[in-house]
C-alpha cells in the first residue's frame, strides 16, 4: 500500500537546502535588529548614530532587507511542488495532506508569534500556503507566469502612485519615528513583566498583520510562493546545469538591476515611496538572483562539498528559525539578560553571524546522528501520521 513518507536522504536537492540555509542567515541578520531595537517603529536612515552603524546599515538595507523572506517563501513553494509530485507519482491525495501539514505549521506559527517573538513568518507562510493550494493544479509555466504578473503589476502600480505622491505631498511619504510606539516597545521588552511583553508582542504583530495590511502581505508573499512552486514543477533546481548559460545571464542581470533598485532610497531620497520600491520590487528581484547564483554554484562539486554544512542548517530550517527567536529574545528581553536597546547595529550583526555559525556546526552534528531536526521531526510525525511497518 502506497503512503506518503518524508523525503529520503538520497532524494534531497542539495541546492534547495543550501538556499534555505543561506536564507536563514539573512533572515537572522534582519531579525536581530528587531530583537535588540524597536526597528518596527524607527526611521532606520536617521536612527543609527555610531559611525560603524551608519556605515553598516546601507549594506544590510541593500543586500539583506526584504530579500530573504521572499527567497525562503520561494523555497517553501518549491518544496510544496515536490510534495505534490511525489503524491501524484504514488497515486495519493495531495491536498488533504497539504492542508493538514499547513494547519500544523499555522499552530507552530501562532505559538511562535504570541509566546516567543512577534515578527513570525510561519503564520503567513501557512495561510498563504493554503491559498497556494488553490493554484497547484496549474502547470509549472502557468504558475511562473501568474506569480510574476501578480508580483510585478500591483507593485509597479503602487510604486508609481507613491512616487507621484512624493512630488505632490512630500510630507505624506516621509519616513518618521513613532516615538510613542517606540517608547512602549522599549518599556515592555527592556523591563516589563512577561504578561506586559505578551501584550506588546501582540501589538507589534498586529501592527504588521492588521486587516489594512493584508493585501500588501498577500501580494508580497503569495506571488513568490507561486514562482517557487512553478520552478518546482519544472524541476529547475534539479536541472540547473542544463540552463547554466541562461541562468548566469539571468542571475547577473537581476543582481545588477535589483541592487540598483534597492539603492534608490540612498541615492535619491529616503522616503516611504523609494523604500517601498526597494522592498517590494528590488527585494524579490534580488531573491531570485540569489537563488539562481547559489543553484549554479552548488553544481560545482567542490562548492557542493563546502556548502554541505550550510545545507545541513537548511535541512533544519524550521528548528533553526525558531531557535534564533528563542536565543534572540532571551538575550534582549527582560526575562532573559535584559539587553534590549543597549546593543549597536554592528554588535547585533556580529552576534547574528556568530550564533548562525554555531547553528551550522550543531546542525551538521545533529544530522550526523539523526535524519531530521527536532521540530521537523515533530512536524513530519503530525503531518504523515504513524507509518505502518512493512510485513516481510
Amino acid at each position: 500500500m502506497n503512503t506518503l513518507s518524508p523525503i529520503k536522504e538520497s532524494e534531497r536537492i542539495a541546492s534547495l537546502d543550501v538556499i534555505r540555509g543561506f536564507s536563514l542567515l539573512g533572515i537572522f541578520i534582519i531579525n536581530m535588529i528587531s530583537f535588540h531595537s524597536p526597528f518596527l517603529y524607527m526611521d532606520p536612515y536617521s536612527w543609527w548614530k555610531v559611525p560603524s552603524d551608519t556605515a553598516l546599515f546601507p549594506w544590510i538595507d541593500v543586500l539583506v532587507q526584504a530579500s530573504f523572506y521572499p527567497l525562503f517563501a520561494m523555497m517553501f513553494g518549491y518544496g510544496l511542488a515536490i510534495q505534490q509530485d511525489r503524491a501524484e507519482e504514488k497515486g495519493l491525495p495531495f491536498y488533504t495532506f497539504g492542508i493538514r501539514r499547513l494547519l500544523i505549521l499555522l499552530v507552530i506559527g501562532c505559538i511562535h508569534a504570541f509566546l516567543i517573538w512577534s515578527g513570525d513568518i510561519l503564520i503567513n507562510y501557512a495561510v498563504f500556503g493554503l491559498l497556494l493550494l488553490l493554484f497547484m493544479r496549474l502547470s509549472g509555466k502557468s504558475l511562473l507566469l501568474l506569480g510574476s504578473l501578480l508580483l510585478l503589476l500591483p507593485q509597479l502600480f503602487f510604486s508609481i502612485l507613491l512616487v507621484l505622491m512624493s512630488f505632490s505631498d512630500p510630507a505624506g511619504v516621509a519616513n518618521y519615528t513613532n516615538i510613542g510606539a517606540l517608547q512602549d516597545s522599549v518599556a515592555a521588552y527592556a523591563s516589563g513583566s512577561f504578561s506586559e511583553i505578551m501584550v506588546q508582542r501582540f501589538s507589534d504583530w498586529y501592527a504588521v498583520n492588521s486587516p489594512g495590511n493584508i493585501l500588501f502581505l498577500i501580494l508580497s508573499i503569495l506571488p513568490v510562493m507561486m514562482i517557487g512552486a512553478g520552478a518546482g514543477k519544472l524541476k529547475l533546481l534539479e536541472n540547473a546545469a542544463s540552463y547554466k548559460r541562461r541562468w548566469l545571464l539571468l542571475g547577473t542581470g537581476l543582481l545588477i538591476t535589483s541592487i540598483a533598485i534597492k539603492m534608490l532610497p540612498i541615492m535619491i531620497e529616503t522616503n516611504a515611496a523609494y523604500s517601498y520600491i526597494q522592498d517590494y520590487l528590488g527585494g524579490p528581484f534580488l531573491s531570485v538572483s540569489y537563488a539562481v547564483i547559489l543553484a549554479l554554484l552548488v553544481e560545482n562539486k567542490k562548492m557542493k562539498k563546502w556548502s554541505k554544512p550550510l545545507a545541513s542548517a537548511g535541512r533544519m530550517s524550521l528548528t533553526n528559525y525558531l531557535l534564533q527567536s528563542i536565543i534572540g529574545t532571551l538575550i534582549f528581553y527582560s526575562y532573559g539578560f535584559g539587553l534590549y536597546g543597549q546593543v549597536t547595529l554592528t554588535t547585533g550583526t556580529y552576534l547574528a553571524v556568530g550564533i548562525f555559525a554555531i547553528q551550522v556546526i550543531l546542525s551538521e552534528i545533529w544530522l550526523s546522528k539523526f535524519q531530521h531536526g527536532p521540530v521537523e521531526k515533530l512536524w513530519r510525525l503530525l503531518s504523515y501520521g504513524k507509518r505502518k511497518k512493512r510485513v516481510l
Side-chain angles (χ1 to χ4, degrees), residues 249-367:
L249 290 173
L250 175 66
T252 305
L254 279 175
L255 183 65
I256 294 170
T257 303
S258 58
I259 288 177
I261 293 172
K262 295 199 75 179
M263 289 184 68
L264 288 176
I266 299 169
M267 301 300 294
I268 300 179
E269 187 177 357
T270 56
N271 61 27
Y274 293 112
S275 293
Y276 184 92
I277 296 170
Q278 178 195 60
D279 289 351
Y280 289 93
L281 282 175
F285 286 172
L286 189 57
S287 299
V288 176
S289 73
Y290 284 155
V292 169
I293 291 168
L294 285 169
L296 290 177
L297 286 173
V298 175
E299 286 299 310
N300 180 281
K301 289 183 179 180
K302 286 186 178 180
M303 285 301 300
K304 186 175 181 178
K305 181 180 179 181
W306 292 340
S307 64
K308 185 177 177 294
L310 188 61
S312 294
R315 284 178 59 186
M316 293 177 54
S317 56
L318 183 55
T319 296
N320 283 322
Y321 171 71
L322 294 173
L323 191 58
Q324 287 172 357
S325 294
I326 292 170
I327 293 171
T329 52
L330 282 176
I331 291 172
F332 297 107
Y333 287 9
S334 62
Y335 54 73
F337 292 103
L339 297 177
Y340 191 84
Q342 300 180 40
V343 171
T344 65
L345 175 66
T346 305
T347 301
T349 303
Y350 284 143
L351 192 60
V353 173
I355 293 171
F356 181 74
I358 295 171
Q359 284 190 304
V360 169
I361 295 168
L362 293 178
S363 297
E364 185 81 334
I365 294 171
W366 181 276
L367 292 175

Side-chain angles (χ1 to χ4, degrees), residues 206-239:
Y206 189 79
V208 175
N209 297 278
S210 65
N213 291 334
I214 193 67
L215 177 63
F216 294 99
L217 289 171
I218 291 173
L219 292 175
S220 64
I221 297 175
L222 181 59
V224 291
M225 281 186 171
M226 295 173 72
I227 291 170
K233 282 177 173 276
L234 296 172
K235 301 184 185 301
L236 295 186
L237 289 180
E238 294 93 319
N239 300 309

Side-chain angles (χ1 to χ4, degrees), residues 160-212:
I160 292 169
L161 188 65
L162 285 168
V163 170
L164 291 175
M165 283 180 61
S166 70
F167 290 112
S168 61
D169 181 22
V173 295
N175 289 326
Y176 71 98
T177 296
N178 187 333
I179 298 297
L182 186 147
Q183 290 174 337
D184 290 342
S185 182
V186 172
Y189 295 131
S191 57
S193 64
F194 189 81
S195 60
E196 289 172 333
I197 288 175
M198 282 193 67
V199 171
Q200 184 64 40
R201 191 185 286 125
F202 179 80
S203 177
D204 292 348
W205 179 85
Y206 189 79
V208 175
N209 297 278
S210 65

